[in-house]
């Protein structure tokens, strides 16, 4: 099996923009979002979509608090609060300084499952550890949030460093085992296969950031014990399946190599040794898409969709959506203005049956998707003027 | 490697229709085609699309004659003529009786490269050889066409038989080597791997239907000498690359396993041993998408697009389209009303760079695509009221 490892260090995004002969704005090609609301006839449901909040600067993640308040991150480093359905103009104080550059910055916000009792919030972000241009790390931090500001912030984990190239998503999810899972991207270098690096991995941690004794590589020479799975390129979404309890991941792959994976202890998902996709300048990453010992994705996307957030629908309004996974997409096949949400119809066995594109007419890059405590699905657009939207049953 | 071979005999299309709870009309979901013409801003070109002919009943293929006349097949068994831009109401006489049922019937029409000299036309179709329900064969025939009727029709090749399940595309192309290539589908049974069957293969023949002495399996025990490549599911499009001279194929795979392949002598393309796709009821066809000795596709489609005709653009109006492959699509991800044309941007090295969906707004299933002698690209819709359309440069 031949492998084009050396090509991974090429400036992939630059290659794509040269190909398309466009600057950043035209490259993304999103349209200004209209006022809405919009009624849309989808394949199996007539839905109503409306704007909950707008004017967000590159929002990346959002989370509901038990009292119905909503937290949103803006990539440049602001944590925003929505209270009583209104966005508080001032950012929440106490957020640490982050390294915001390109696709790096403040990423995830996640309340502790027992937030009511302990008021813990988790954040992930990038941080520059020194003046060295290769000193950029992923950080997982925990802080108290009592409604006004973050206090008692602790860095629970600081990753090994790199130059920031290729960005690096950092999602969080609590598993059904009560452990905290964190994804760390490693798009361009070989870190995803390096067992002494935390990048290109999904980690499993105790709620205080310590390493669970039953992690798959605990005590194994040369392995970081935090590692739960390896071989990930840019794991841009994490979601716990509502019935099986499995951890599902959406992965931003190379061109035509985007994936949905089910994450299992100690497994290797192949990047950059094997991939279904091509490098941006064209050649396949690997001459074959699989080799012995590597896990297969449960879904691939070809053309690529530049995936981000991942969610399962758990509401009551759309029974046909119940076992589907929803993935945010920035653009399809590198074509500007093709952002959308992709519904992948999995059946109760976890087998894919069909797929549907949603919201193509809005021409928005979709960054994150979450179920609200009200049983409604919310999604966030990744734009300079980003918005949070909600999906409801359309009036008859 | 485990393999779900037994599932291949399940009624796959029935499974899909049960899943979607729709009858045939709703399953395809095409809209009535408007009058046009339509101006459309595509990614790199502003195009104008107009109707050349309509009222065709399930047209499958078309071909230009050197005098500018156009021939079209209708699946039920009619060969139609367009002369001076007008469709002749009567079908051309002399077409043999075909077995028209489901997706079977009259398929391809192709003039001999030296038609002016010899007036030879080639046809492919399905024929029932006896009352046995499993006696359906593919036929390749050649006849003279002098402007009014087919005469001197000869059956050059009659394949082994099956029950007709899963349909079976039968495309033709003359290679740069002057040989006639014919594709034969084998969707549901294991014939694509059976070396004594012509189904699930691409054949290489002399212009009179005899076997070239330099075919890859000539003289090999247990192999039909007509076979050029094997392991094909439903090879729904064939096109010679305009600069490399390679034979390219679009292949209707299982759900999520549609492919574009470059066809090479003696190679095995894997169906049904390995596939990127899933069976319609859900499980993957193979636990891994590749094994040693099987050829990799140059492009896969996930979600599936139900591909048909394949063409390269060789006109002058759209220089950015020159190395792109265009594939007709019936529906994407099994969702009704999603027919379109997919442009796959290959670069001069044959590497894919990007992809673009065209004509989604027309909601037509696209069956065949060809370059005309006028340098314009034409395409055919697969509908009860099918149409031939042409793509031109839009007025400024």
């Amino acid at each position: 099996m031949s492998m084009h490892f050396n090509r991974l260090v090429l400036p992939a995004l630059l290659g794509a923009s040269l190909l398309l002969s466009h600057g950043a704005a035209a490259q993304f090609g999103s349209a200004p979002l209209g006022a809405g609301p919009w009624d849309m006839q989808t394949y199996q449901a007539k839905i109503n979509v409306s704007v909950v909040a707008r004017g967000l600067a590159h929002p990346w993640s959002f989370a509901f608090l038990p009292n119905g308040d909503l937290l949103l991150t803006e990539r440049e480093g602001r944590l925003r609060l929505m209270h009583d359905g209104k966005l508080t103009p001032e950012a929440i104080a106490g957020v640490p300084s982050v390294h915001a550059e390109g696709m790096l910055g403040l990423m995830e916000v996640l309340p502790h499952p027992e937030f009511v009792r302990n008021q813990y919030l988790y954040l992930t972000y990038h941080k520059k550890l020194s003046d060295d241009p290769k000193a950029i790390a992923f950080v997982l931090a925990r802080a108290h949030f009592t409604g006004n500001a973050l206090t008692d912030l602790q860095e629970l984990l600081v990753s090994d460093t790199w130059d920031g190239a290729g960005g690096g998503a950092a999602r969080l999810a609590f598993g059904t085992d009560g452990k905290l899972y964190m994804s760390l991207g490693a798009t361009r270098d070989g870190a995803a296969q390096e067992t002494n690096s935390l990048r290109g991995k999904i980690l499993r941690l105790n709620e205080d950031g310590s390493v669970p004794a039953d992690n798959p590589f605990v005590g194994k020479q040369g392995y970081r014990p935090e590692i739960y799975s390896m071989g990930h390129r840019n794991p841009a979404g994490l979601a716990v399946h509502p019935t099986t309890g499995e951890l599902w991941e959406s992965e931003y792959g190379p061109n035509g190599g985007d994936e949905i994976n089910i994450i299992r202890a100690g497994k290797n998902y192949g990047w950059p040794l094997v991939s279904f996709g091509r490098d941006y300048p064209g050649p396949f990453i690997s001459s074959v898409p699989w080799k012995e010992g590597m896990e297969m994705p449960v879904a691939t996307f070809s053309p690529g969709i530049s995936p981000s957030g991942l969610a399962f629908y758990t509401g009551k309004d759309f029974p046909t959506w119940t076992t589907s996974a929803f993935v945010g997409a920035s653009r399809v096949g590198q074509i500007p203005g093709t952002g959308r949400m992709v519904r992948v119809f999995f059946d109760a066995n976890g087998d894919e049956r069909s797929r549907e594109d949603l919201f193509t007419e809005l021409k928005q890059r979709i960054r994150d998707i979450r179920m609200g405590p009200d049983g409604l699905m919310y999604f966030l657009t990744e734009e300079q003027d980003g918005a949070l939207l909600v999906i409801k049953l359309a009036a008859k």
Side-chain angles (χ1 to χ4, degrees), chain A residues 181-246:
Chain A
Y181 293 83
M182 175 177 176
S183 74
L184 296 88
T187 302
R188 304 234 189 121
D189 59 17
Q193 293 294 329
E194 290 168 8
T195 58
N196 61 351
S197 167
L198 296 180
R199 296 181 300 111
K201 308 296 187 310
I202 292 172
L203 311 182
R204 179 172 180 259
L205 303 168
N206 293 317
E207 60 170 19
D208 62 357
S210 64
V211 176
D214 59 349
N215 264 12
F217 298 114
V218 166
K220 190 165 177 181
Q221 181 80 28
Y223 282 73
R224 289 288 302 248
E226 298 91 340
I227 299 174
Y228 187 72
S229 65
M230 57 188 288
H232 300 288
R233 188 178 183 271
N234 204 9
L238 282 181
V240 174
H241 190 286
T243 55
T244 67
E246 293 161 327

Side-chain angles (χ1 to χ4, degrees), chain A residues 248-250 258-262 297-299 301 310 325 327 344 346:
Chain A
W248 288 51
E249 176 237 18
S250 59
D258 299 328
E259 301 177 351
I260 296 177
N261 293 298
I262 302 177
V298 292
F301 299 87
L310 173 68
V327 190
V344 184
F346 290 100

